[in-house]
Amino acid sequence: MCCSARRCNQEMNWEQFDLNPKVVAALKKALQLYQDHLTSQHQKLSLGCSVLDNLLKGGIPLEGITELAGESSAGKTQISLQLCLCVQYPYKYGGLESGAVYICTEDIFPSKRLQQLIEQQRKMRTDVPAEIIQKIKFGNSIFVEHAADLDTFHNCITKRISLLLTRGMVRLVIIDSLAALFRCEFGASDSVTKARYLQTFGAQLHSLSTRFRTPILCINQVTDAVSELEAAQGSCSVADNKAYPALGITWANQLLMRLMVSRVPQPERSPGAASHHSGSVHYVREIATSAFPQSYLFKGAAAISMWKRAAG
Amino acid sequence: MQRDVGSLPLAPALRARLIAAGFQTAQELLETGPCGLSKEIGISKEEALEALQVVRQECHGGAAGTAGGSGATRKCTALELLEEEQAQGFIITFCSALDNILGGGVQLTKITEICGAPGVGKTQLCMQLAVDVQIPECFGGVAGEAVFIDTEGSFMVERVADIAAACVQHCQLIAEAHQEEDHLKALEMFSLESILSHIYYFRCRDYIELLAQVYLLPDFLSEHSKVRLVVVDGIAFPFRHDFEDLSLRTRLLNGLAQQLIIIANDHKSAVVLTNQMTTRIGQSQSTLVPALGESWGHAATVRLIFHWDNSQRAGLWRMILEAQKNEDNPSRNSWQRYTNHRVRRSQPYHITLHLMASEMCSLQLSLRM
């Protein structure tokens, strides 16, 4: 299908257009974009797993908010911690050669699990030579922020993160999780205020993401409440459970891409298996991007269960 | 012609001078000419010329009566308008059910608004249209170019490349089946590179940039006269936050709508907008309605609303398509079509369609593989 970008090198004569210079500056033909895309290697942030990268056509996009939703213990924290490590690899191996900011809103940061992941990096990233892995000081480039209420969170994303981003010290922002901030403070009648907060946060995160070309990953929980309205909005069913990402349609409008992770227990293969990780298979489903046709199930079992084992 | 000088729409000082010099009717002014006038009253030749132009316009306007003589307005009959509209092409969407609902495809010179829940496929449809507008005329397209204004950053180039490749392949199959000379000639010009190079992409980060872009668009379109589609992906996104003053927002949106209507009419292109859905909280229940308020609802000629409807099988979604405000449909509330939308995994983009007729109206079953 593809031609080489070199063949399509056309000379644009800008003088022939008597246009406002701003229009000229803003104008980019889709072909130019495509050529940029073909030649540059770091248009996406790889997840460190070739299977998941194939699902997402390279990884998560650099501009825009990506959401990772799922039930508890589905593997969301695992994926986000792995991403914190992936972003520090060189461009050649799918990273962005920079650190990550992890914003926790309810639980404490899982530092023990992070340590285990760091120790297992050599085994997990077989595509990267060992000397390079050894040189990277993973722990030094992960910045952890705690924001337990809305004002602290607002302050965090407007002032503190911009500082790190301007200095180029981070190129990934992970928020775990946004729903927790809204659970306590807002009741059913405060939906208008809640929507306004969500829109403001979404717009700020979006502008940060586009200004600094930094992926923003938001971890979201799922709710089970099913009403007619939510059914019309689209719920994602795995087996018979209807799991619906929290925060509603206001938040969903701000997202570029939504990933659903779920865990489906498999029947036990051998009796007497001790570990509680043995029988689970993780599904990652991608929904709601402009890039792909609609959802299809994908088994990331090999990759994710490997991570689970690494965590102990 | 016998109009009194005092009644002409000239500057009062100039009028006073003319009357003092002895001019009484407009006829006398016109007979004197600009040189004579400038000598008589003592004004420059340019001023005299301007004054005479005004006089001439006034006199000719009066003489012609109420039949609308000046060149600013043109008159035409409704029959001419109908013929003009019918002769215009449509931008097909490659989804026969959607084309049927729209009456042939996305219409030129009209504004079409696409609303839907997040993830339903609005940006996909826009990208498909940006490719479809370029289909050569012998294959049933309008052979135009596209402008894509992106406010959300959801334009994925590799996806457009997939869609373009599938479209080229589709046309190649048609050409092979029919084996006509003009088909093959058109195919030479219709390739992946040419499709991508005729989509003009603009990225607007906030509402000010969007407004500026739309107001500068007529200049751009006069340079690129082959553009037949303007897509604004995400008209709601820049307007839905940071707006304390909602009346300002309404004014800006109205201005935007007017400008888009002018663009659609003057350049004979289709304008496609995508809008978000928001929850309207009623007394007993809440419903999903298109965002940006009631007054924005009047901007578009055709409004497509896509809903999700869960099906039992995972991976198969049903889209309930409601076309509102379509002029062809007499009663919009009683008219709903259900379409099944399943995407094949093997090909990059293809829609399999099952059309199920509702009890209200009879539709032709159209199955497209």
Side-chain angles (χ1 to χ4, degrees):
Chain A
M1 165 199 98
C2 279
C3 55
S4 88
R6 273 162 251 139
R7 244 200 311 148
C8 332
N9 224 350
Q10 297 159 356
E11 278 300 318
M12 267 295 294
N13 183 11
W14 292 106
E15 262 57 61
Q16 68 184 152
F17 300 130
D18 199 14
L19 291 175
N20 189 319
K22 197 167 176 195
V23 173
V24 171
L27 173 56
K28 253 195 169 170
K29 288 191 189 165
L31 181 62
Q32 264 175 287
L33 281 180
Y34 187 60
Q35 287 169 354
D36 291 341
H37 167 76
L38 282 182
T39 51
S40 77
Q41 291 121 342
H42 46 271
Q43 286 286 327
K44 298 252 172 92
L45 172 62
S46 151
L47 277 125
C49 162
S50 56
V51 176
L52 286 175
D53 284 345
N54 279 340
L55 167 71
L56 300 175
K57 299 266 176 81
I60 59 175
L62 295 189
E63 288 186 23
I65 309 177
T66 307
E67 182 179 275
L68 191 59
E71 301 143 350
S72 49
S73 86
K76 309 189 292 287
T77 315
Q78 199 72 22
I79 297 182
S80 50
L81 289 177
Q82 177 68 11
L83 263 177
C84 287
L85 302 177
C86 285
V87 72
Q88 303 182 38
Y89 284 98
Y91 289 112
K92 200 166 130 190
Y93 302 108
L96 296 173
E97 282 180 10
S98 195
V101 176
Y102 198 104
I103 305 178
C104 304
T105 59
E106 40 177 7
D107 297 326
I108 54 168
F109 180 70
S111 37
K112 191 163 145 216
R113 228 194 292 177
L114 180 68
Q115 282 308 315
Q116 289 169 337
L117 274 177
I118 293 178
E119 283 158 26
Q120 299 290 320
Q121 277 300 294
R122 217 175 309 144
K123 251 191 255 171
M124 292 167 62
R125 295 299 297 265
T126 47
D127 53 323
V128 186
E131 321 80 66
I132 298 190
I133 301 186
Q134 245 174 347
K135 260 194 276 174
I136 306 178
K137 296 207 175 0
F138 290 107
N140 282 1
S141 310
I142 302 182
F143 300 86
V144 180
E145 292 273 341
H146 282 98
D149 57 75
L150 288 168
D151 292 320
T152 325
F153 184 76
H154 183 83
N155 186 38
C156 186
I157 57 176
T158 41
K159 300 202 180 72
R160 296 168 71 89
I161 301 191
S162 343
L163 206 60
L164 290 169
L165 284 166
T166 355
R167 292 195 190 150
M169 294 160 74
V170 299
R171 280 200 72 188
L172 171 67
V173 179
I174 298 188
I175 302 174
D176 181 9
S177 62
L178 205 55
L181 290 170
F182 292 91
R183 212 181 293 132
C184 318
E185 297 194 31
F186 291 93
S189 53
D190 299 317
S191 45
V192 178
T193 336
K194 180 174 162 185
R196 204 170 292 155
Y197 268 111
L198 280 173
Q199 273 168 356
T200 318
F201 288 156
Q204 276 162 352
L205 289 171
H206 200 262
S207 76
L208 278 177
S209 176
T210 39
R211 238 169 72 204
F212 298 104
R213 263 176 79 83
T214 301
I216 299 193
L217 184 76
C218 287
I219 299 182
N220 205 1
Q221 286 123 6
V222 292
T223 68
D224 279 327
V226 174
S227 66
E228 256 176 42
L229 173 65
E230 275 148 350
Q233 289 173 5
S235 63
C236 327
S237 40
V238 176
D240 285 316
N241 300 330
K242 286 211 191 265
Y244 182 58
L247 294 177
I249 200 172
T250 322
W251 178 243
N253 278 325
Q254 317 284 336
L255 304 170
L256 175 65
M257 181 156 85
R258 184 175 249 178
L259 297 166
M260 279 282 291
V261 193
S262 44
R263 186 182 198 177
V264 175
Q266 265 187 352
E268 291 209 351
R269 289 194 215 93
S270 57
S275 165
H276 57 283
H277 295 297
S278 61
S280 62
V281 162
H282 294 259
Y283 285 84
V284 175
R285 178 159 35 162
E286 185 274 316
I287 49 175
T289 338
S290 53
F292 310 109
Q294 282 314 308
S295 57
Y296 50 99
L297 282 176
F298 170 78
K299 230 157 144 175
I304 303 191
S305 44
M306 192 169 84
W307 296 347
K308 280 272 178 186
R309 254 184 276 124
Chain B
M1 276 315 198
Q2 294 307 311
R3 196 161 158 181
D4 196 55
V5 166
S7 70
L8 292 169
L10 297 169
L14 187 59
R15 255 200 318 247
R17 278 197 193 174
L18 285 170
I19 295 176
F23 290 102
Q24 277 175 336
T25 62
Q27 179 76 18
E28 289 172 12
L29 282 180
L30 290 173
E31 279 171 359
T32 320
C35 302
L37 203 62
S38 68
K39 256 187 255 169
E40 290 253 3
I41 321 176
I43 53 175
S44 68
K45 288 223 185 76
E46 291 86 26
E47 282 175 29
L49 209 63
E50 266 180 48
L52 283 177
Q53 268 177 351
V54 170
V55 172
R56 228 172 261 127
Q57 243 178 13
E58 276 301 309
C59 295
H60 288 151
T66 53
S70 88
T73 56
R74 62 184 173 107
K75 61 177 169 81
C76 48
T77 64
L79 181 65
E80 285 170 24
L81 283 177
L82 179 67
E83 286 168 356
E84 212 179 286
E85 225 179 77
Q86 280 175 343
Q88 240 150 48
F90 295 93
I91 305 176
I92 58 175
T93 63
F94 270 122
C95 171
S96 50
L98 194 52
D99 286 339
N100 280 341
I101 291 178
L102 292 169
V106 173
Q107 261 185 310
L108 300 182
T109 74
K110 303 270 192 292
I111 302 187
T112 307
E113 188 179 337
I114 301 175
C115 315
V120 80
K122 307 185 287 288
T123 310
Q124 284 277 285
L125 188 54
C126 291
M127 296 198 285
Q128 178 72 38
L129 286 171
V131 170
D132 288 344
V133 72
Q134 305 187 36
I135 296 175
E137 275 162 357
C138 54
F139 292 108
V142 294
E145 301 175 353
V147 166
F148 199 103
I149 302 178
D150 187 8
T151 61
E152 296 171 344
S154 51
F155 183 80
M156 302 244 166
V157 161
E158 59 266 21
R159 184 70 190 131
V160 179
D162 286 346
I163 296 177
C167 191
V168 169
Q169 209 179 19
H170 184 93
C171 292
Q172 273 169 350
L173 291 174
I174 297 180
E176 272 166 35
H178 291 259
Q179 288 293 333
E180 278 175 38
E181 191 53 51
D182 50 348
H183 281 182
L184 298 168
K185 215 186 296 179
L187 261 185
E188 286 168 27
M189 299 301 300
F190 191 60
S191 64
L192 177 65
E193 298 92 57
S194 78
I195 297 177
L196 288 179
S197 65
H198 290 134
I199 301 178
Y200 303 104
Y201 175 74
F202 296 86
R203 176 83 168 91
C204 298
R205 282 162 226 276
D206 53 38
Y207 75 92
I208 297 178
E209 279 187 37
L210 175 63
L211 286 170
Q213 195 54 63
V214 173
Y215 282 105
L216 289 173
L217 209 49
D219 293 335
F220 180 80
L221 291 178
S222 49
E223 300 285 335
H224 298 81
S225 55
K226 286 193 75 186
V227 170
R228 287 287 169 271
L229 173 70
V230 175
V231 176
V232 182
D233 184 13
I235 198 136
F237 184 73
F239 285 101
R240 289 194 75 206
H241 62 91
D242 279 349
F243 256 103
E244 295 303 329
D245 185 5
L246 282 183
S247 60
L248 170 66
R249 188 179 91 168
T250 314
R251 281 202 305 276
L252 292 175
L253 284 172
N254 282 339
L256 200 62
Q258 291 286 56
Q259 185 67 10
L260 289 171
I261 293 175
I262 292 173
I263 289 174
N265 274 322
D266 288 351
H267 300 274
K268 285 210 173 9
S269 37
V271 175
V272 175
L273 314 168
T274 58
N275 197 1
Q276 293 170 352
M277 300 291 270
T278 182
T279 327
R280 183 195 286 158
I281 302 170
Q283 286 162 341
S284 54
Q285 58 172 19
S286 20
T287 46
L288 275 186
V289 295
L292 295 180
E294 288 290 335
S295 53
W296 177 250
H298 303 289
T301 319
V302 178
R303 192 177 235 186
L304 296 171
I305 302 183
F306 289 82
H307 294 287
W308 285 115
D309 186 24
N310 274 332
S311 161
Q312 295 86 0
R313 287 153 61 189
L316 179 70
W317 305 101
R318 273 212 331 240
M319 289 201 306
I320 304 176
L321 190 58
E322 242 177 66
Q324 285 187 346
K325 287 179 54 160
N326 195 325
E327 298 134 351
D328 304 330
N329 300 319
S331 58
R332 59 187 182 124
N333 286 326
S334 64
W335 190 79
Q336 272 182 347
R337 298 185 191 217
Y338 295 87
T339 64
N340 256 337
H341 170 160
R342 180 205 297 155
V343 179
R344 273 200 215 154
R345 293 182 216 175
S346 51
Q347 286 186 298
Y349 175 83
H350 205 97
I351 296 190
T352 312
L353 252 279
H354 298 284
L355 202 64
M356 299 192 298
S358 71
E359 316 91 83
M360 301 282 189
C361 57
S362 60
L363 290 173
Q364 284 171 335
L365 269 178
S366 142
L367 196 67
R368 189 191 150 112
M369 286 302 181

